């Protein structure tokens, strides 16, 4: 009888232990939750945004996902790659969608709290090594050399989302997705019209030759935090005053920053009275003010008229109300249609004579914002 009593006691103790474990698991589940998010690199289908995004401008080759608890403590970081898997699938699951250039991810086992998400796309892993704070990431420098017209490398993109709450026992979906922003903007010479009157200027031919384009006086480096002053703020511009080593840039110049100068293998001939559709692209970083040693940001068009190379600088505008609009904004597209009616300047930083050109600039955001056109 005594033996039977011991058996009953052992069974009761075991049941109590199992019940206790179940209570612990229940409490644990109630104290943790998850996040599901969709990350987008393509322009959304909004009326005000540019849907003309090239493959290499929206390609997603890597995404570093940082999860900071309370906006300061790094709780989780992992680098996501196409076809890859998480180093710990009990904590993270993700997939790349090449059709719409998006990433879907679910982060699990997050304590109930409020989080800040920081996302960095297409940036070298070695350059992010050891970064464990939001400020450390935001102060990291980006150069134009980090952007490429090769789809397998692509453009550096970034997003930060604060105030993301996680509730216990459930998975929260970040509504609306997270839109990545490019730090570069695209400036495109869409077309050139030759309106130079038939005169002595055509002594050698009845055409002009558009030789190339480049950006001048734009920021050569930024940081993810995009401050206007202090650490990571833009400083040294690229192609200062249209020169390198005090020599005018030409279509054959080897520039330091590869995506700032478009050099076609052959120039584009435009007959008198005709318009040539070019769609030549060049890229630069946000430059909203005149940087030290430089002048206003410009797209410089190089064209040969009657055997002489001339420059046609087009002053860029960022879309803000005058007078704070000189320059280019971040993550925008600038489409320029140029009408040449006279000879240009022999210096790439000097305005052409009044009436020599008319430039229509159409500005659109790659994420959101109004679009408009202006003739200068």
């Amino acid at each position: 009888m005594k033996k039977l009593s011991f058996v009953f006691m052992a069974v009761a103790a075991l049941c109590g232990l199992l019940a206790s474990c179940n209570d612990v698991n229940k409490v644990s589940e109630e104290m943790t939750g998850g996040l599901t998010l969709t990350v987008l690199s393509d322009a959304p289908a909004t009326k005000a945004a540019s849907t003309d995004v090239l493959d290499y401008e929206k390609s997603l080759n890597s995404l570093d996902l940082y999860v900071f608890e309370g906006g300061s403590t790094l709780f989780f970081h992992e680098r996501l790659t196409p076809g890859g898997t998480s180093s710990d699938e009990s904590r993270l699951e993700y997939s790349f969608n090449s059709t719409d250039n998006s990433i879907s991810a679910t982060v699990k086992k997050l304590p109930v709290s409020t989080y800040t998400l920081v996302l960095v796309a297409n940036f070298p892993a070695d350059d992010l090594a050891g970064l464990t704070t939001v400020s450390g990431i935001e102060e990291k420098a980006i150069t134009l050399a980090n952007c490429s017209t090769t789809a397998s490398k692509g453009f550096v993109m970034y997003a930060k989302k604060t105030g993301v709450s996680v509730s216990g026992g459930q998975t929260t979906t970040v509504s609306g997705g997270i839109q990545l922003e490019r730090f570069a903007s695209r400036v495109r010479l869409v077309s050139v019209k030759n309106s130079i009157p038939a005169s002595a200027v055509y002594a050698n031919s009845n055409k002009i030759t558009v030789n190339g384009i480049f950006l001048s006086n734009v920021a050569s480096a930024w940081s993810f935090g995009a401050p206007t002053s202090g650490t990571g703020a833009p400083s040294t511009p690229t192609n200062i005053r249209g020169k390198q080593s005090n020599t005018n840039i030409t279509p054959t110049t080897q520039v330091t920053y590869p995506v700032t100068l478009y050099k076609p293998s052959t120039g584009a001939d435009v007959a008198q009275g005709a318009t040539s559709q070019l769609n030549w692209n060049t890229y630069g970083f946000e430059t909203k003010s005149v940087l030290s040693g430089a002048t206003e940001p410009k797209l410089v068009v190089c064209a040969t008229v009657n055997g002489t190379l001339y420059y046609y600088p087009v002053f860029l505008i960022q879309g803000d109300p005058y007078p704070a609009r000189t320059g280019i904004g971040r993550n925008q597209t600038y489409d320029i249609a140029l009408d040449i009616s006279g000879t240009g300047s022999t210096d790439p930083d000097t305005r052409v004579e009044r009436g020599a050109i008319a430039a229509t600039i159409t500005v659109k955001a790659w994420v959101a914002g109004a679009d408009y056109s202006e003739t200068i």
Side-chain angles (χ1 to χ4, degrees):
M1 181 69 102
K2 187 179 285 188
K3 185 174 181 181
L4 185 59
S5 225
F6 280 131
V7 171
F8 281 136
M9 290 175 63
V11 170
L14 179 61
C15 289
L17 180 61
L18 291 173
S20 175
C21 288
N22 286 335
D23 288 341
V24 169
N25 287 336
K26 183 177 180 182
V27 171
S28 177
E29 289 176 1
E30 290 177 349
M31 295 179 65
T32 63
L35 280 177
T36 295
L37 56 144
T38 300
V39 183
L40 309 169
S41 71
D42 204 348
T46 62
K47 208 168 141 183
S50 171
T51 56
D52 175 21
V53 184
L54 304 174
D55 287 344
Y56 60 80
E57 296 170 343
K58 62 185 177 183
S59 63
L60 276 175
N61 303 298
S62 67
L63 181 76
D64 283 85
L65 170 62
Y66 295 85
V67 180
F68 292 93
E69 186 176 6
S72 58
T73 303
L74 180 60
F75 187 83
F76 181 84
H77 165 238
E78 182 144 348
R79 188 175 181 87
L80 287 57
T81 56
T85 57
S86 171
S87 59
D88 182 0
E89 292 192 354
S90 70
R91 296 290 303 277
L92 171 71
E93 293 181 353
Y94 71 88
S95 62
F96 276 67
N97 186 333
S98 59
T99 302
D100 61 1
N101 292 284
S102 67
I103 301 172
S104 299
T106 299
V107 185
K108 310 172 187 177
K109 298 181 180 178
L110 291 171
V112 174
S113 187
T114 302
Y115 293 86
T116 293
L117 307 180
V118 176
L119 303 97
V120 180
N122 301 334
F123 200 66
D126 291 346
D127 290 344
L128 294 171
L131 298 181
T132 59
T133 63
V134 175
S135 60
I137 297 170
E138 290 185 337
E139 292 173 2
K140 191 66 182 177
I142 314 159
T143 70
L144 288 170
N146 293 127
C147 301
S148 174
T149 55
T150 301
S152 59
K153 184 177 180 181
F155 278 60
V156 178
M157 292 178 273
Y158 177 81
K160 176 182 175 183
K161 189 161 184 77
T162 60
V164 180
S165 299
V166 170
S167 302
Q170 58 183 289
T171 299
T172 302
T173 300
V174 179
S175 63
I178 299 177
Q179 179 71 51
L180 294 167
E181 287 191 354
R182 301 161 194 82
F183 276 83
S185 283
R186 181 182 70 201
V187 182
R188 170 186 286 170
L189 181 61
V190 176
S191 63
V192 171
K193 181 179 180 181
N194 180 0
S195 295
I196 299 178
S199 63
V201 78
Y202 292 119
N204 296 328
S205 68
N206 66 344
K207 65 182 181 183
I208 63 175
T209 300
V210 186
N211 304 103
I213 59 175
F214 65 89
L215 286 174
S216 177
N217 304 314
V218 297
S220 61
W222 261 98
S223 67
F224 287 113
T228 55
S229 62
T231 303
S235 54
T236 305
T238 186
N239 303 336
I240 301 174
R241 297 178 180 268
K243 297 174 175 59
Q244 285 196 350
S245 301
N246 296 317
T247 302
N248 288 348
I249 293 174
T250 71
T252 59
T253 302
Q254 181 62 47
V255 294
T256 305
Y257 301 98
V259 295
T260 64
L261 177 63
Y262 184 85
K263 299 181 296 183
S265 56
T266 58
D269 292 335
V270 187
Q272 199 276 330
T275 299
S276 179
Q277 299 294 321
L278 301 177
N279 292 322
W280 292 352
N281 299 321
T282 186
Y283 302 87
F285 283 164
E286 176 181 350
T287 311
K288 289 189 174 182
S289 60
V290 176
L291 301 179
S292 177
T295 57
E296 298 89 342
K298 307 173 183 69
L299 174 75
V300 182
V301 179
C302 308
T304 300
V305 181
N306 199 27
T308 300
L309 178 66
Y310 290 103
Y311 298 96
Y312 296 88
V314 178
F315 289 68
L316 297 171
I317 48 179
Q318 60 175 306
D320 295 337
Y322 184 83
R325 62 180 184 174
T326 299
I328 59 176
R330 179 173 51 172
N331 203 40
Q332 293 182 328
T333 63
Y334 294 77
D335 284 354
I336 297 173
L338 189 65
D339 188 343
I340 297 177
S341 54
T343 54
S345 170
T346 55
D347 179 83
D349 203 51
T350 301
R351 294 176 182 268
V352 298
E353 293 184 8
R354 183 178 296 275
I357 61 169
T360 299
I361 307 174
T362 301
V363 184
K364 293 185 179 181
W366 271 344
V367 174
D371 63 330
Y372 64 94
S373 63
E374 178 158 331
T375 300
I376 63 175

